[in-house]
Amino acid sequence: MRRRSRRARSQRTAPVRQMVAFVLLWWTIVSTGCGLTAAQKAAIGHFSRATAAVGEMTADELAKMREGVIQGNTSTLIIIGEDRPAPGESAKRTALITPTTVERQLTIENISRIGHAAKALQSYGELLQALAEDTQATELRGAAEAFVANLKAVPSVSLEEKEADAITAAVYAVGRLLVEMKKAKAVRAIVPTAASHVDKLTDLLAAEFDPDRDGSLGSAFRAAANRLRGEGAAAFPKATTAADRAVILPAWEYGRMASLRSDEIHKRASDAVASIQKSHRLLVEALKTDRWTAEDVKGIVSEFDTELKVLGKVTAELLERSKLLK
Amino acid sequence: MADKPTLGTSLSKTMQELTRIIEESDDEEEQKKALAQLRRAHRMLDVLVDERVKKNAPEYEAATQALEEANDALVAARKESATFAEGLQKVAKALGLLAKLVKAFG
């Protein structure tokens, strides 16, 4: 039996290994259609931008609303002395302004609860975006190169440079495929599950800031501002001393500024939260259909530029060898 | 057909209108009546806010907890994405060790 040289064995098995790497690489690149589409990534980006800063904005504005209500009700009490129901009025005692209840419903506990909710919403947007952007490309390239370099170092393994390149490219592409598939699977599972809770939370938050909504903290703030304005406007003409007027006039003005804040800022805050809900609903819809476009194909071609060049070389070589075999 | 105004929105609008009357009127009697109504409307609106805050508290908590679970799932998904590269690095290291062993004892 003739002993075959290692070089001859390598020459006969090289096309087989190239074919395997070729098929694997081609399949994985084409199969990256299992990942998120460009439209889905764009919807994630849009939602993430909408939620950016909602946590801080909510906490800041609630703190200002609390301060405004405390200041407003304190000034009202200073002007009127005591809040009493009118004769025949069946007002609840808890509805009266007293020195220990000037904060009314804007307690630390209540505003912390709402602030915590807004922060969870902001984090959700940030984490979705971070997941969508995380490709592990650098880590995978390094790992694929290390794998093939160490494979070549094993004495019984003989790899030509082209084969090593093809295997590196195939391993990288398989890794990227797995990352994209896992990401897409996670997003398609998590977003629809979170949808009803995002809707609920954004409904609650949007209503909270809207001064025209029943029982909202925004309406409580505006009511305190209008009450102060009314008490100040009624008390000012009756003030008999400069000292009295020095108390009433700034309080009245504070009430007017607070009303303006309610009209200008709170309504806008409410609208900003409503737009978060809208963008999440668009994201949920985008995830229902995987519409691959020319933009998606361009993205794949751009990302797998190196791998496609390797593919091209491997293809050309296989075709050349197949001509020689005829 | 326009939505019927709710009690809260009616009270809110009423308070705004009464405030305007008090600030703009020169008639002391008119001011006094408007102020009495303003105070009453404020107290009624305050009761509505109280009721709503109590009703919303558990809803906020439930929705926040659900979103925090979604956030935990997103963090876990990101960690899982890193497992292939990490696994491959481990295999690469094992191959490197194998190569050294074979050379040493070969």
Side-chain angles (χ1 to χ4, degrees):
Chain A
M1 194 186 295
R2 267 200 311 209
R3 288 188 70 174
R4 289 178 185 143
S5 69
R6 208 163 145 197
R7 188 183 163 79
R9 273 204 308 276
S10 173
Q11 282 177 337
R12 264 194 289 278
T13 57
V16 173
R17 288 200 287 253
Q18 283 182 336
M19 177 66 87
V20 168
F22 166 85
V23 168
L24 200 56
L25 182 59
W26 183 240
W27 177 76
T28 54
I29 289 173
V30 166
S31 300
T32 48
C34 301
L36 294 168
T37 66
Q40 289 165 349
K41 287 178 191 170
I44 290 173
H46 187 237
F47 172 68
S48 172
R49 282 189 296 278
T51 56
V54 71
E56 282 93 20
M57 183 274 288
T58 301
D60 280 348
E61 198 48 47
L62 285 171
K64 286 181 176 125
M65 285 165 76
R66 172 179 156 82
E67 190 191 306
V69 163
I70 289 172
Q71 175 80 32
N73 286 339
T74 302
S75 298
T76 295
L77 272 185
I78 288 170
I79 292 170
I80 65 176
E82 189 186 345
D83 192 19
R84 278 191 298 250
E89 184 190 346
S90 57
K92 280 187 181 182
R93 269 220 63 79
T94 50
L96 301 173
I97 309 170
T98 67
T100 56
T101 63
V102 286
E103 63 185 3
R104 308 308 293 147
Q105 299 82 8
L106 279 100
T107 60
I108 296 287
E109 187 191 348
N110 286 341
I111 68 173
S112 293
R113 182 186 307 115
I114 299 167
H116 189 200
K119 189 74 191 121
L121 186 60
Q122 181 175 330
S123 295
Y124 173 64
E126 285 168 354
L127 288 169
L128 259 180
Q129 181 66 10
L131 181 61
E133 282 176 345
D134 185 12
T135 61
Q136 290 285 307
T138 309
E139 294 82 351
L140 284 167
R141 261 197 217 288
E145 284 164 5
F147 171 78
V148 173
N150 285 355
L151 181 64
K152 279 161 79 177
V154 176
S156 56
V157 172
S158 134
L159 281 179
E160 291 174 19
E161 210 50 48
K162 279 175 289 202
E163 291 169 324
D165 287 346
I167 293 170
T168 305
V171 168
Y172 170 77
V174 166
R176 283 288 295 116
L177 164 69
L178 284 174
V179 165
E180 289 305 311
M181 276 175 66
K182 284 185 177 192
K183 255 179 14 187
K185 188 178 170 191
V187 170
R188 286 177 187 135
I190 294 168
V191 169
T193 307
S196 63
H197 305 294
V198 171
D199 275 354
K200 186 65 183 171
L201 212 43
T202 46
D203 274 344
L204 288 169
L205 285 171
E208 214 66 83
F209 284 113
D210 188 348
D212 295 323
R213 294 289 288 269
D214 265 25
S216 68
L217 292 182
S219 73
F221 177 89
R222 188 164 67 185
N226 283 332
R227 175 76 185 268
L228 178 57
R229 285 172 67 181
E231 298 289 357
F236 188 76
K238 298 187 191 102
T240 54
T241 66
D244 286 347
R245 287 190 288 273
V247 167
I248 296 166
L249 195 53
W252 182 9
E253 186 57 24
Y254 186 87
R256 284 162 49 77
M257 289 299 109
S259 288
L260 273 177
R261 185 173 192 87
S262 172
D263 292 342
E264 296 296 319
I265 291 174
H266 294 168
K267 195 77 178 119
R268 266 192 266 143
S270 176
D271 291 345
V273 174
S275 75
I276 292 173
Q277 186 182 89
K278 189 177 169 188
S279 66
H280 193 260
R281 285 181 177 174
L282 287 172
L283 170 57
V284 170
E285 278 313 300
L287 290 173
K288 284 179 183 169
T289 51
D290 292 332
R291 262 195 302 267
W292 284 82
T293 63
E295 194 189 336
D296 291 300
V297 174
K298 271 188 211 167
I300 292 170
V301 167
S302 165
E303 182 177 352
F304 290 98
D305 180 54
T306 309
E307 289 71 32
L308 285 167
K309 280 176 181 151
V310 167
L311 177 70
K313 272 190 200 164
V314 167
T315 310
E317 186 155 315
L318 284 170
L319 285 171
E320 198 56 45
R321 287 189 192 205
S322 70
K323 278 184 202 164
L324 288 171
L325 288 170
K326 278 182 187 162
Chain B
M1 193 197 291
D3 289 336
K4 265 178 80 176
T6 58
L7 176 60
T9 51
S10 300
L11 285 171
S12 204
K13 280 188 170 37
T14 301
M15 283 192 74
Q16 286 182 283
E17 186 53 27
L18 290 167
T19 304
R20 189 193 64 75
I21 291 170
I22 297 165
E23 285 181 336
E24 292 176 8
S25 177
D26 294 325
D27 184 333
E28 202 179 314
E29 203 48 45
E30 187 184 38
Q31 267 196 340
K32 195 175 162 186
K33 279 185 186 162
L35 185 60
Q37 287 172 3
L38 181 74
R39 289 167 176 171
R40 189 176 180 146
H42 188 204
R43 290 190 272 270
M44 286 171 72
L45 196 141
D46 195 81
V47 168
L48 282 181
V49 176
D50 249 353
E51 282 167 5
R52 189 189 155 90
V53 165
K54 281 177 189 142
K55 178 182 169 285
N56 285 352
E59 290 181 10
Y60 268 115
E61 274 158 20
T64 303
Q65 188 175 342
L67 261 193
E68 283 173 344
E69 284 168 11
N71 291 345
D72 289 343
L74 287 167
V75 169
R78 218 171 147 202
K79 280 189 185 153
E80 214 189 314
S81 286
T83 55
F84 184 79
E86 283 166 8
L88 199 54
Q89 282 286 8
K90 283 181 184 165
V91 170
K93 273 190 188 157
L95 278 172
L97 281 171
L98 177 66
K100 284 180 185 163
L101 275 171
V102 170
K103 273 183 187 155
F105 293 103

